[in-house]
Amino acid sequence: MAPPKKLVAVQHRVRRMHPLAALMTRELGRIAAAGPDEIRAFQEGRLRAMTRWAAVASPFYRQWFRREKVDPREIRTLDDLRRLPVLRRNDLMDRPETFRAYPARAMWEAHSSGTSGRAVTVYRTPGSSVYEMRVLERQWSWFGLPRAPRRVTLGGSDFAADRPGNPTEIVPGARQLLVSSYRLTPDDLPTIVWDIRRFGPDAIDGWPSSICLLAELLYEQGERLPVRAVLTSSETMRSAQRALIREVFRGPIVDHYGQTERVAMAGTCEAGTMHIFPDYGIVELEPVPGVADRWEIIGTPLHNWGFPIFRYRTGDLVGPAPADGCACGRAFPTLGALDGRVEDAFTTADGRPLPLPSTVIDDVTGVREAQIAQLAPGRFEIRMVPGVGFDAERVEQQYRRNVERLFGPGQELRVVTLDAVPRTASGKLKTAVVEGGGDRAVPAAVAEAFAGYRLGPGE
């Protein structure tokens, strides 16, 4: 779940004024123009430094190196990385403090269940946050966006979830206009459009489900909001949704992949290919047992000195990657289509759509697994499995507060405790599922307009 907006504003100011920001930008530009050998040398140099640092500063790795009698100086190449243990979500759920190399007060803390329904706690340094933003800005520059573009952001912003007040808000110091995903309704549309036009954005940024909701409302009103790019993450899109977004906002769709743990990042280039960003992290693709043509992403970040982790199992699956040698000319490895990041859209009791509904379970700790299910419009069930520090009354109260705050009043909620949350046929735990009426698609008139639409390269 997103941090409080006051902290967000501070984070954006730190990103802009950090003394190493310019140096990071130059280094990232050099790696983008490098060949495979130079990229590998960069990764291995950073890996050696981070391994030795973790062996001294991280309680988890200090203990591991001593117990296994491994000299950290022996971890020198990408092949040597496999000598380190694979981390799982349980490691970050149960004992995140053992990975910290800096005091918690010197870093930014985040909680998220991601797509697995199992809450983790992670930390990152301000320098790591600056580096991440520079990586994103490098990708955006491929599409002609300026550094620090003016962005309209649609995501889990809950500042207006309780209905009163303005559905938009400017984040000081961020060149960012937040639009509440929970206020994307015909009644609020005139205010939202007025505020967006007055803000003058370079880009629309956020979850595809939220962006698509806004695009539907605008399309049905005959409105268009041209921008230089549409920046998406966290979900996959259907062809008709992509076509609708392009029609309404005109700019190219720029997608990126990442996680709260920030162990790996990838993004699309101008040719439409998804590339791994190798200076952000090392990506290993492990075959999924018993499933053909599916690999799990295992990531090793190369930027977060305050919370070093190696070989983290993300739980995210990808299909076959296109052959290396993209038309963009960069030597960055390619990544297959992500599998398992599509969530069903929910509907409230009063008919409002709810994009990415799993945000209501993201920040709840003491729970090993969680899932929210829609049984009917406005009727939901949260299924939870107790974890370390579980307090049933506290957890249920927090879930109810989140639903009230994010979905709005008038919803019916039941919270149940289970030994295990049911999995899909493929074994994946989905954080949000629609089991009754209310599965929401693009409106019929909109879907018909874009039926059979095929996007060209880079779209």
Side-chain angles (χ1 to χ4, degrees), residues 50-62 97-102 305-306 308:
M50 295 201 75
T51 303
R52 296 174 188 183
W53 167 246
V56 172
S58 163
F60 176 89
Y61 285 107
R62 186 166 59 239
E97 68 284 349
T98 66
F99 291 89
R100 289 198 310 252
Y102 295 164
W305 298 89

Side-chain angles (χ1 to χ4, degrees), residues 29-83:
R30 177 179 63 81
I31 298 300
D37 292 342
E38 187 177 352
I39 290 173
R40 183 182 179 99
F42 171 87
Q43 289 185 314
E44 292 182 339
R46 190 65 65 87
L47 174 64
R48 287 192 290 271
M50 295 201 75
T51 303
R52 296 174 188 183
W53 167 246
V56 172
S58 163
F60 176 89
Y61 285 107
R62 186 166 59 239
Q63 182 182 19
W64 183 88
F65 278 110
R66 288 175 180 170
R67 183 179 68 247
E68 300 299 324
K69 295 181 173 54
V70 174
D71 187 338
R73 292 172 296 182
E74 296 174 359
I75 311 299
R76 300 186 54 79
T77 69
L78 299 187
D79 295 333
D80 297 331
L81 180 61
R82 299 191 67 85
R83 299 181 61 184

Side-chain angles (χ1 to χ4, degrees), residues 27 33 42 95-96 136 152 220 273 326 427:
E27 179 182 73
F42 171 87
R95 44 182 178 170
L136 287 171
V152 170
E220 291 170 347
T273 303
C326 178

Side-chain angles (χ1 to χ4, degrees), residues 52-258:
R52 296 174 188 183
W53 167 246
V56 172
S58 163
F60 176 89
Y61 285 107
R62 186 166 59 239
Q63 182 182 19
W64 183 88
F65 278 110
R66 288 175 180 170
R67 183 179 68 247
E68 300 299 324
K69 295 181 173 54
V70 174
D71 187 338
R73 292 172 296 182
E74 296 174 359
I75 311 299
R76 300 186 54 79
T77 69
L78 299 187
D79 295 333
D80 297 331
L81 180 61
R82 299 191 67 85
R83 299 181 61 184
L84 297 176
V86 174
L87 300 179
R88 292 170 171 80
R89 295 186 68 87
N90 284 352
D91 295 308
L92 300 189
M93 291 169 56
D94 299 341
R95 44 182 178 170
E97 68 284 349
T98 66
F99 291 89
R100 289 198 310 252
Y102 295 164
R105 63 181 180 274
M107 295 185 287
W108 296 330
E109 180 179 338
H111 305 279
S112 177
S113 63
T115 57
S116 75
R118 305 169 65 194
V120 300
T121 299
V122 295
Y123 299 84
R124 59 175 173 159
T125 64
S128 170
S129 179
V130 173
Y131 192 82
E132 178 176 275
M133 182 54 63
R134 290 296 184 263
V135 171
L136 287 171
E137 289 178 346
R138 177 183 63 184
Q139 181 199 12
W140 300 343
S141 73
W142 302 343
F143 296 84
L145 284 177
R147 216 183 85 188
R150 296 178 66 82
R151 292 176 290 148
V152 170
T153 299
L154 299 95
S157 303
D158 59 6
F159 62 89
D162 54 357
R163 305 296 290 168
N166 202 293
T168 72
E169 186 169 83
I170 290 179
V171 179
R175 296 171 62 84
Q176 193 174 19
L177 175 71
L178 301 180
V179 175
S180 173
S181 296
Y182 308 99
R183 297 283 293 277
L184 293 174
T185 65
D187 290 343
D188 284 313
L189 183 64
T191 300
I192 290 172
V193 172
W194 170 263
D195 289 349
I196 291 176
R197 293 193 189 281
R198 184 173 55 178
F199 180 71
D202 297 302
I204 303 291
D205 179 20
W207 300 331
S209 55
S210 297
I211 295 172
C212 195
L213 285 176
L214 178 58
E216 290 168 16
L217 292 170
L218 293 169
Y219 183 82
E220 291 170 347
Q221 295 294 321
E223 292 268 12
R224 301 294 184 271
L225 280 173
V227 292
R228 298 171 70 172
V230 179
L231 313 175
T232 64
S233 63
S234 299
E235 304 166 335
T236 58
M237 285 182 285
R238 301 176 182 89
S239 179
Q241 292 175 315
R242 295 178 68 88
L244 170 64
I245 290 172
R246 284 298 309 271
E247 168 64 25
V248 170
F249 299 115
R250 306 301 191 190
I253 295 173
V254 183
D255 194 24
H256 93 270
Y257 160 76

